[in-house]
């Protein structure tokens, strides 16, 4: 059960583009920039990060083999540096999650394919700020 803090949610909005790390089953890494994402905190127990797939190739292949992912966010404007670990629990191109998200994105990005939404369940958050707390689990 992991709920991001209000401060973390605000920091994610400030960053704009977050790196998403995936790996094959055998551990070959891949990182892509993610700009179209939203935090879904409607569940009482867990937070989810919805990510729109527009051009994922290696990323989707990796997720199908290994659904564990990581994101991190930091800029000079954010309060801290945080790494989020999670699991892709759903990939969908239909239903309310997809339709609602696509409806918000389409007017601003009409040329994107908006293929599907990846729902990442947040499982852990770690500190990646310089200092003695670096690498320690926050949530």
């Amino acid at each position: 059960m992991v709920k991001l803090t209000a401060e973390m949610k605000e920091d994610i909005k400030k960053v704009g583009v977050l790196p998403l790390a995936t790996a094959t089953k055998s551990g070959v890494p891949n990182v892509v920039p993610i700009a179209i994402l939203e935090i879904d905190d409607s569940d009482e127990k867990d937070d989810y990060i919805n990510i729109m797939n527009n051009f994922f190739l290696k990323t989707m292949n990796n997720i199908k083999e290994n659904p564990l992912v990581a994101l991190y966010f930091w800029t000079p404007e954010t309060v801290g540096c945080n790494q989020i670990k999670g699991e892709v629990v759903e990939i969908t191109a239909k239903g309310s999650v997809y339709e609602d998200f696509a409806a918000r994105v389409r007017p601003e990005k009409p040329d994107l394919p908006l293929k599907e939404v990846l729902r990442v369940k947040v499982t852990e958050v770690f500190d990646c700020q310089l200092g003695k707390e670096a690498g320690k689990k926050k949530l």
Side-chain angles (χ1 to χ4, degrees):
M1 175 167 107
V2 176
K3 297 290 279 180
L4 299 171
T5 67
E7 188 174 82
M8 289 175 186
K9 292 174 189 176
E10 284 303 311
D11 281 352
I12 289 171
K13 291 176 187 173
K14 289 177 190 173
V15 172
V17 176
L18 284 74
L20 172 68
T22 62
T24 63
K25 196 178 230 179
S26 63
V28 177
N30 185 57
V31 178
V32 295
I34 302 297
I36 302 176
L37 64 89
E38 65 181 5
I39 298 166
D40 178 352
D41 56 6
S42 61
D43 185 293
E44 290 181 21
K45 295 180 183 175
D46 296 300
D47 279 346
Y48 294 82
I49 297 175
N50 295 333
I51 300 171
M52 187 63 75
N53 171 11
N54 290 297
F55 305 109
F56 296 160
L57 178 61
K58 293 183 299 266
T59 299
M60 284 307 296
N61 290 337
N62 288 358
I63 288 169
K64 288 175 184 175
E65 286 185 25
N66 174 8
L68 303 178
V69 301
L71 296 141
Y72 107 93
F73 54 99
W74 176 86
T75 69
E77 292 80 33
T78 57
V79 175
C81 180
N82 295 284
Q83 178 195 61
I84 295 173
K85 297 207 185 223
E87 180 177 2
V88 176
V89 294
E90 183 179 7
I91 301 169
T92 185
K94 58 184 175 182
S96 63
V97 170
Y98 173 81
E99 294 299 331
D100 293 347
F101 193 11
R104 287 188 293 281
V105 174
R106 215 173 262 117
E108 292 181 33
K109 307 283 184 179
D111 297 332
L112 292 178
L114 308 179
K115 293 179 187 176
E116 57 204 351
V117 172
L118 285 66
R119 282 184 55 76
V120 177
K121 180 179 178 181
V122 177
T123 57
E124 299 175 293
V125 178
F126 293 87
D127 193 325
C128 56
Q129 188 81 19
L130 293 175
K132 63 181 181 174
E133 299 300 310
K136 290 189 178 177
K137 188 172 182 176
K138 293 173 103 173
L139 302 174

